[in-house]
Every structure is written in C-alpha cells, then in structure tokens.
Amino acid sequence: MSAEQRRESVIRAAIVEFARAGYHGTSTEAIARRVGVSQPYLFRLFPNKQAIFLAAAERCLADTRRLFEDASEGLEGEEAVHAMGRAYQRLIADDPEKLMMQMQTYVAVAAAEAAGDHEFGRTLRAAWEALWDSSHLALGADENETTTFLAYGMLVNTLVSMGFPAGHRVWSGFYDSARPAATTGPATTGPATTGPAADESGGPSPG
C-alpha cells in the first residue's frame, strides 16, 4: 500500500474515531490501531494530531459539498432542494459518523476560538464557506434559499444528534418526505420543511 493510500486510510479512520470521541477524547494511538499502523508511521503521514483532525473534518465537509453538487446537477428550484435533501438523508442514515464528525468539528473550532486559537478554524471555515458557495449556486444563487436550506439542515442535524424518534412532535414542521422513517429511526431525515419558506425551499444540510 502506498503512502497516499495509507494517508487515505488514516483520514477515514480518523473520521470514525473523532466522530465518536471528539478532538480531545481521541488518541492518535486509537487512530493508528484502527488503520493498522504504528504511531511513528502515522506521524510520517501527518505531523501531529491537529493535522489529522483538520484533514478528517475538511474531508467530511468536502464530501458533503460534492454530495450536493452531484445530487443537484442539472436541476433547479425545488427539484434541486429535494434532490439535495434526499441525498443528505441517505448520507446521515448510511454513514452516521459523517454527521457526528460535523458536530465534533463545530465543538473543536468553538473550543479553539474560546482559547484564543483563531488559526485552528481557518481551514475549516474555508471548507464550510466552499460548501455554502456550492449550495448557493445549486439553489439559484438566492441568499434566502441558501440560508433557509442550511438553517433547516442544522435543525435536522440537531434533532438527529439528540436522538428524537420518528413521529415525535418536533418533526411535525417538516414535509412528510423529510420526517424520519418509522422503521429506521431519526437518522433517516430528508428534505424540506413547512413553515414560512416551505413552499420555496428548506432541506437538510450541514448547518
């Protein structure tokens, strides 16, 4: 296996480990063990734990951006909204670590900012901005559409992360297609919402 393949394996393993235990709760030993390499070899691929976390978090955001781009290709308006929402629904249902990694990313950046480390989040803010820009274009470059889509996406992230079950009243403001499936639980949320902007936009995405 090449060094590049090993690096890819480290990023995938890091997403799982950091998603479950957060930045401070995850050891490089745990990541190395999941990959099947020694810690010294791990640090030949990445200079330190922070670099591993940043690579994992950036990858998570980039994957979500590409997911939206692929889902919305050739579509406009509500068709794009629902396609992006359904794609995100599948993502967090099939790969819940991606959602957990998102939430851990926000926590890690907020903690760094509170500690006065403003450089830590620079790369991740750029990655999130790229996600915003990509979604913005897919939604017709309408700021209200983009804001609504991402805002309801964070609500979906919150409800799924909190484990609210299918059928709970907190999901009542979403379209039927956006509510969790009763047979699979809250991790199968989907696009669009009711409410003030329901006729125009609103779908799950990273907040």
Side-chain angles (χ1 to χ4, degrees):
M1 184 179 291
S2 68
E4 188 57 36
Q5 289 172 320
R6 287 289 190 192
R7 182 182 172 86
E8 181 65 24
S9 295
V10 170
I11 291 174
R12 290 199 303 267
I15 288 174
V16 175
E17 295 296 335
F18 284 127
R20 296 176 180 179
Y23 179 66
H24 293 291
T26 299
S27 67
T28 54
E29 180 182 1
I31 296 171
R33 186 166 55 246
R34 178 172 289 275
V35 178
V37 300
S38 65
Q39 277 188 290
Y41 186 81
L42 191 70
F43 291 122
R44 287 171 56 188
L45 301 172
F46 294 89
N48 51 42
K49 176 180 171 180
Q50 183 179 107
I52 299 172
F53 181 87
L54 291 175
E58 189 175 17
R59 172 64 61 79
C60 184
L61 291 169
D63 284 351
T64 304
R65 173 176 53 79
R66 285 191 291 270
L67 180 84
F68 289 154
E69 290 172 350
D70 291 344
S72 62
E73 186 175 3
L75 303 176
E76 296 180 352
E78 286 193 15
E79 286 188 341
V81 170
H82 287 283
M84 292 162 69
R86 285 190 294 270
Y88 191 67
Q89 173 191 24
R90 290 191 296 270
L91 175 69
I92 62 176
D94 297 341
D95 193 359
E97 274 90 9
K98 289 288 179 66
L99 171 60
M100 294 165 66
M101 184 68 201
Q102 265 193 70
M103 305 306 272
Q104 295 288 6
T105 296
Y106 304 145
V107 170
V109 173
E113 290 288 321
D117 182 359
H118 305 301
E119 183 63 21
F120 179 86
R122 181 181 60 81
T123 299
L124 300 179
R125 283 190 289 272
W128 203 96
E129 186 176 5
L131 173 61
W132 192 98
D133 288 340
S134 178
S135 299
H136 189 53
L137 289 176
L139 297 170
D142 184 308
E143 291 185 354
N144 288 332
E145 293 276 1
T146 305
T147 299
T148 299
F149 183 80
L150 294 174
Y152 277 108
M154 179 50 93
L155 177 58
V156 169
N157 287 351
T158 300
L159 299 183
V160 172
S161 297
M162 293 290 289
F164 280 102
H168 193 283
R169 62 186 175 84
V170 297
W171 294 104
S172 61
F174 289 82
Y175 284 150
D176 289 342
S177 62
R179 297 175 186 173
T183 57
T184 56
T188 56
T189 52
T193 66
T194 55
D199 293 335
E200 301 176 0
S201 65
S205 64

